[in-house]
Amino acid sequence: MLDYTSVYTYIIVDERPVPMTHKRVQYSDHAVQRMRERRFTRQDVRWLLAKGTWEPNPTALGRETRFAKRGYIGTGEAKVVFLEDAERIEVITVEWCG
């Protein structure tokens, strides 16, 4: 089961609006569980998707290509792994790095 959540159009970073993706973001059951265990919010994940740095090599699994982005949430570095197509982003997992 997927949890469907719309992404905000903008978030505020350093008192300035930062554009977010317009695509629908879906969270896999696994992602929701890991977010709860690792104390990530949906806003944290959306921020990583919008502002994170792309990982250099996507991972191909069968027909799907999984992408990853890294960024800092507070003082910790985090990574989000996701699938993306023309209409949506599906978050697979999120984790702290290091």
Side-chain angles (χ1 to χ4, degrees), residues 29-42 94:
D29 291 341
H30 175 82
V32 171
Q33 180 181 349
R34 293 298 181 251
M35 287 169 62
R36 189 178 312 115
E37 291 171 359
R38 297 168 181 165
R39 299 178 187 239
F40 285 98
T41 66
R42 291 175 191 262
V94 61

Side-chain angles (χ1 to χ4, degrees), residues 34-58:
R34 293 298 181 251
M35 287 169 62
R36 189 178 312 115
E37 291 171 359
R38 297 168 181 165
R39 299 178 187 239
F40 285 98
T41 66
R42 291 175 191 262
Q43 185 171 356
D44 293 336
V45 173
R46 290 189 300 263
W47 188 92
L48 286 169
L49 290 168
K51 299 294 287 178
T53 303
W54 287 95
E55 290 275 299
N57 298 314

Side-chain angles (χ1 to χ4, degrees), residues 15-30:
E15 300 181 344
R16 294 185 315 204
V18 175
M20 299 293 289
T21 180
H22 65 280
K23 295 180 181 179
R24 180 179 60 204
V25 176
Q26 301 172 336
Y27 298 85
S28 68
D29 291 341
H30 175 82

Side-chain angles (χ1 to χ4, degrees), residues 52-69:
T53 303
W54 287 95
E55 290 275 299
N57 298 314
T59 303
L61 296 172
R63 294 183 182 184
E64 298 179 332
T65 300
R66 293 183 179 198
F67 300 97
K69 282 188 163 185

